[in-house]
């Protein structure tokens, strides 16, 4: 359940188009500590494929994905 | 040489090839079209976000897209002046490869991009700089078109180089693109 996840940082990426959601998240995650959680709210349909691909390449983990109407929130745990 | 020996030497060579490739993207940016330039910068910034080292090598028609509209090159000859006049003065002036329609199509696309929050080309160049995408400009293109280094945009760490520099970068890159 995503209700149980307490993000350390929440980012509003709604309305942003490719490649900005992934770019912004990569910039933010650099400033965070290992083990912290970032919640990224996005409306970009491409994000559903992009965030898992980004996480796999950078060695971070997507804990869960929460979709409400057009907004999808990705809970990302910094592992590296 | 027997079969086993051949296999072993092939294996060795393959391992060498594998090890030499870095998590790096090297890109030739050749086109001066707005759409292709956008693609080049979206891929470059995306790759940087994925943790890759990224190198862009600008040549031919892509070169004028890196001019600064507020700067001027001094001491140009007639041909240099002609190229300078006929080629776009910077990333804000490049046109679509299709449906330009005398500039109307490009204007419409730029309007749509703004409305749909797609970053403009000048913004993408700034973002690439911010993300550490390295930029090289082909010295021969500069010389051929009569561009002066002082009329190009400011970009951190940018160098004016030849083809050997690109090949050196591309040689140990996992991905190489020509756009």
């Amino acid at each position: 359940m995503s209700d149980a996840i307490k993000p350390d940082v929440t980012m509003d990426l709604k309305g942003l188009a490719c490649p900005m959601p992934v770019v912004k998240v990569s910039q933010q995650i650099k400033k965070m500590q290992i083990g912290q959680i970032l919640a990224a709210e996005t409306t970009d349909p491409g994000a559903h494929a992009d965030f898992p691909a980004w996480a796999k390449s950078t060695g971070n983990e997507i804990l869960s994905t929460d979709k409400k109407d057009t907004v999808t929130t990705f809970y990302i745990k910094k592992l590296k | 040489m027997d079969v086993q020996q051949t296999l072993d030497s092939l294996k060795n060579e393959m391992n060498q090839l594998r090890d030499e490739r870095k998590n790096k993207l090297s890109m030739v940016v050749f086109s001066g079209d707005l759409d292709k330039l956008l693609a080049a910068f979206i891929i470059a910034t995306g790759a940087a976000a994925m943790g890759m080292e990224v190198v862009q090598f600008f040549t031919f028609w892509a070169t004028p897209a890196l001019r600064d509209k507020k700067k001027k090159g001094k001491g140009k000859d007639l041909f240099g002046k002609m190229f300078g006049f006929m080629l776009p003065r910077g990333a804000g002036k490049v046109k679509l490869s299709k449906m330009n329609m005398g500039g109307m199509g490009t204007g419409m696309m730029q309007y749509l991009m703004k409305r749909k929050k797609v970053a403009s080309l000048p913004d993408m160049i700034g973002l690439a700089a911010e993300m550490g995408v390295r930029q090289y400009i082909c010295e021969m293109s500069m010389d051929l078109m009569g561009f002066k280094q002082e009329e190009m945009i400011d970009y951190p760490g940018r160098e004016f180089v030849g083809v050997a520099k690109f090949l050196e970068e591309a040689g140990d890159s996992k991905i190489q693109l020509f756009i």
Side-chain angles (χ1 to χ4, degrees), chain A residues 14-35:
Chain A
K14 295 190 282 286
L16 290 180
C18 173
M20 298 317 286
V22 163
V23 165
K24 296 267 183 200
V25 160
S26 77
Q27 286 176 325
Q28 176 59 40
I29 211 113
K30 273 191 198 138
K31 297 180 202 153
M32 293 169 63
Q33 308 287 327
I34 287 171

Side-chain angles (χ1 to χ4, degrees), chain A residues 11-14 16-30 38 40-58 60 62 74 76, chain B residues 42-52 124 127 131:
Chain A
M11 287 184 95
D12 179 6
L13 305 171
K14 295 190 282 286
L16 290 180
C18 173
M20 298 317 286
V22 163
V23 165
K24 296 267 183 200
V25 160
S26 77
Q27 286 176 325
Q28 176 59 40
I29 211 113
K30 273 191 198 138
L38 171 65
E41 304 168 346
T42 170
T43 51
D44 175 23
H48 288 273
D50 275 11
F51 276 116
W54 170 84
K56 197 179 156 204
S57 295
T58 55
N60 294 293
I62 294 180
F74 293 88
I76 304 158
Chain B
I42 288 170
I43 297 168
T45 52
M50 303 282 271
M52 295 182 85
M124 289 303 288
L127 184 64
M131 300 197 69

Side-chain angles (χ1 to χ4, degrees), chain B:
Chain B
M1 219 191 281
D2 67 10
V3 179
Q4 190 56 44
Q5 243 179 332
T6 316
L7 264 175
D8 284 346
S9 75
L10 273 175
K11 245 185 224 165
N12 268 338
E13 253 173 67
M14 258 181 66
N15 281 335
Q16 264 178 13
L17 282 174
R18 218 174 263 148
D19 292 341
E20 279 168 11
R21 301 217 170 170
K22 291 190 203 157
N23 190 25
K24 174 161 129 185
L25 162 66
S26 290
M27 185 188 284
V28 175
V29 189
F30 180 93
S31 169
D33 297 327
L34 171 60
D35 33 33
K36 295 194 185 85
L37 284 163
L38 265 176
F41 276 94
I42 288 170
I43 297 168
T45 52
M50 303 282 271
M52 295 182 85
E53 188 183 343
V54 187
V55 176
Q56 288 182 313
F57 181 85
F58 284 79
T59 186
F60 256 87
W61 307 118
T63 315
L66 299 177
R67 293 163 84 195
D68 190 323
K69 65 176 179 200
K70 293 184 291 253
K71 295 184 190 166
K72 273 200 158 161
K74 285 183 199 104
K76 292 191 183 191
D77 62 12
L78 178 66
F79 290 107
K81 280 180 187 153
M82 266 166 58
F83 268 114
F85 176 73
M86 292 194 312
L87 289 168
R89 193 178 282 271
K93 289 275 190 274
V94 293
K95 302 289 178 213
L96 286 174
S97 65
K98 284 186 205 300
M99 293 178 28
N100 182 42
M101 298 179 290
M104 252 172 49
T106 298
M108 222 181 324
M109 182 64 87
Q110 278 161 341
Y111 165 76
L112 266 178
M113 281 169 60
K114 208 173 250 178
R115 219 181 61 177
K116 292 188 185 281
K117 290 195 185 175
V118 176
S120 70
L121 185 57
D123 288 348
M124 289 303 288
I125 296 175
L127 184 64
E130 200 183 301
M131 300 197 69
V133 172
R134 280 190 284 142
Q135 186 178 93
Y136 293 123
I137 303 181
C138 168
E139 177 52 48
M140 190 266 272
S141 298
M142 293 283 293
D143 186 47
L144 198 59
M145 297 177 187
F147 295 141
K148 304 289 180 189
Q149 296 192 3
E150 68 262 20
E151 68 180 298
M152 309 308 276
I153 53 164
D154 297 323
Y155 195 95
R158 191 246 324 281
E159 285 176 56
F160 296 87
V161 302
V163 66
K165 188 65 199 169
F166 169 73
L167 290 170
E168 185 202 359
E169 298 284 356
D172 62 4
S173 297
K174 230 185 341 191
I175 307 177
Q176 301 112 8
L177 295 175
F178 185 97
I179 297 178

